[in-house]
Amino acid sequence: LVITWIRDGALSTWNASATTGFDVPVESVISSVNGCSGDVLRMREQLREKVVVLEVVRPDRWRKKLANMSKLSMLPPGSPLNAVPLFTASS
């Protein structure tokens, strides 16, 4: 799940008090919600729980990883970073 916007709520409150480097900027990737990963529908369901524990990857980290993967020929040459699937939803 990629964070595309942040409205008033728990995440904006977290960001307001987070120390440098621990805030969650837009375009961060949520890799796990309450221990659930790899299933976007389940992850989204978990976001509605009263207590939510997130594992988040900041944009600079996942972009760097994708760039390194491209250098190792793991991605087709010229693939735009925003076209690379990060998660596959299962039904």
Side-chain angles (χ1 to χ4, degrees), residues 37-82:
S37 63
D39 184 337
V40 174
L41 296 177
R42 278 191 58 216
M43 291 168 67
R44 290 181 63 139
E45 288 172 5
Q46 288 297 311
L47 288 171
R48 294 182 182 91
E49 295 294 323
K50 285 189 176 197
V51 176
V52 175
V53 177
L54 301 176
E55 289 184 28
V56 177
V57 181
R58 293 174 58 85
D60 56 325
R61 301 289 303 229
W62 66 261
R63 285 189 183 126
K64 183 177 180 179
K65 183 173 183 175
L66 287 178
N68 288 338
M69 289 170 63
S70 181
K71 290 177 189 174
L72 296 173
S73 299
M74 295 177 81
L75 297 175
S79 291
L81 292 178
N82 62 355

Side-chain angles (χ1 to χ4, degrees), residues 11-12 21 31 38 44 52 59 78 80 86:
L11 190 52
S12 64
S31 59
R44 290 181 63 139
V52 175
L86 297 176

Side-chain angles (χ1 to χ4, degrees), residues 8-30:
D8 289 340
L11 190 52
S12 64
T13 300
W14 168 269
N15 281 343
S17 62
T19 57
T20 303
F22 286 93
D23 60 319
V24 179
V26 170
E27 295 187 357
S28 294
V29 172
I30 301 172

